[in-house]
């Protein structure tokens, strides 16, 4: 199935898209991972934040958000809330999702490095996209994470 990528600011999301992406984030990060945290952190609607939606048959199956430098990290662009819907996971949508996000970052922020807070078990996945670990493991919402950076001059 072909995935369609859409990039939108918060004010460009339809009510249905907003509902669907928030439900998907809760389904993955709160329910699947049994991690009880407040997903609504006010960053979704901060200036310059982009929501990358991957849709199949008009349903969101992949998602992430891009936060410009100064929104989450003072010195870096951030990519976060990276997910694929459970029923399409391991079908190859994660890599194009990250490739699309990195391409957007290069276009919009050509001089900025990208920083992520990655679940530690996904380190190899992110390494395939040019990210390198820059921290020891730390717990974020009781899940092992590592900070990873992708330098602006990475391929």
């Amino acid at each position: 199935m072909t995935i369609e990528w859409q990039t939108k600011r918060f004010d460009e999301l339809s009510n249905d898209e907003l509902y669907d992406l928030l439900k998907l984030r809760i389904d993955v990060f709160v329910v699947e991972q049994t991690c009880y945290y407040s997903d609504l952190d006010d960053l979704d609607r901060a200036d310059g934040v982009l929501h990358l939606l991957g849709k199949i048959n008009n349903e969101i199956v992949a998602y992430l958000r891009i936060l410009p430098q100064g929104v989450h990290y003072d010195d870096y662009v951030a990519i976060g809330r990276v997910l694929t819907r459970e029923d399409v996971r391991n079908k190859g949508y994660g890599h194009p999702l990250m490739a699309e996000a990195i391409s957007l970052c290069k276009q919009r922020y050509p001089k900025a490095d990208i920083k992520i807070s990655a679940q530690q078990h996904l380190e190899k996945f992110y390494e395939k996209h040019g990210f390198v670990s820059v921290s020891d493991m730390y717990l974020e919402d009781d899940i092992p994470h590592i900070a990873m950076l992708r330098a602006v001059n990475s391929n």
Side-chain angles (χ1 to χ4, degrees):
M1 294 186 179
T2 304
I3 195 162
E4 174 193 352
W5 300 107
Q6 296 177 350
T7 306
K8 297 185 174 192
R9 294 184 323 266
F10 184 82
D11 63 347
E12 295 174 321
L13 294 166
S14 72
N15 289 338
D16 285 337
E17 286 170 327
L18 179 59
Y19 180 91
D20 291 346
L21 77 84
L22 292 175
K23 182 182 182 319
L24 186 55
R25 286 182 0 192
I26 291 167
D27 287 348
V28 171
F29 298 125
V30 178
V31 178
E32 277 183 48
Q33 297 178 2
T34 59
C35 180
Y36 305 105
Y37 76 105
S38 180
D39 184 48
L40 300 178
D41 57 8
D42 287 325
L43 297 180
D44 289 317
R45 56 186 175 187
D47 286 341
V49 171
L50 299 175
H51 300 271
L52 178 57
L53 313 172
K55 294 183 177 183
I56 297 176
N57 297 327
N58 210 33
E59 291 183 16
I60 301 171
V61 298
Y63 169 84
L64 58 73
R65 67 181 182 186
I66 299 170
L67 299 95
Q69 189 173 339
V71 172
H72 189 62
Y73 301 114
D74 289 338
D75 299 323
Y76 307 102
V77 170
I79 295 175
R81 301 294 201 265
V82 180
L83 64 84
T84 54
R85 200 171 69 190
E86 187 175 26
D87 63 324
V88 301
R89 208 164 295 145
N90 299 315
K91 294 188 178 178
Y93 296 119
H95 289 294
L97 174 65
M98 284 306 297
E100 188 74 19
I102 290 165
S103 177
L104 283 166
C105 289
K106 285 181 174 182
Q107 290 169 23
R108 294 178 186 249
Y109 314 106
K111 297 181 180 180
D113 294 340
I114 305 167
K115 188 172 184 179
I116 60 174
S117 179
Q119 290 187 11
Q120 189 177 31
H121 75 277
L122 294 171
E123 182 176 12
K124 298 289 183 215
F125 171 83
Y126 290 113
E127 284 176 346
K128 291 179 181 176
H129 294 278
F131 288 89
V132 295
S133 178
V134 294
S135 78
D136 291 330
M137 185 281 289
Y138 55 90
L139 291 177
E140 186 172 306
D141 302 312
D142 290 326
I143 296 173
H145 279 70
I146 52 172
M148 298 186 81
L149 272 183
R150 186 180 194 285
V152 69
N153 58 4
S154 297
N155 290 331

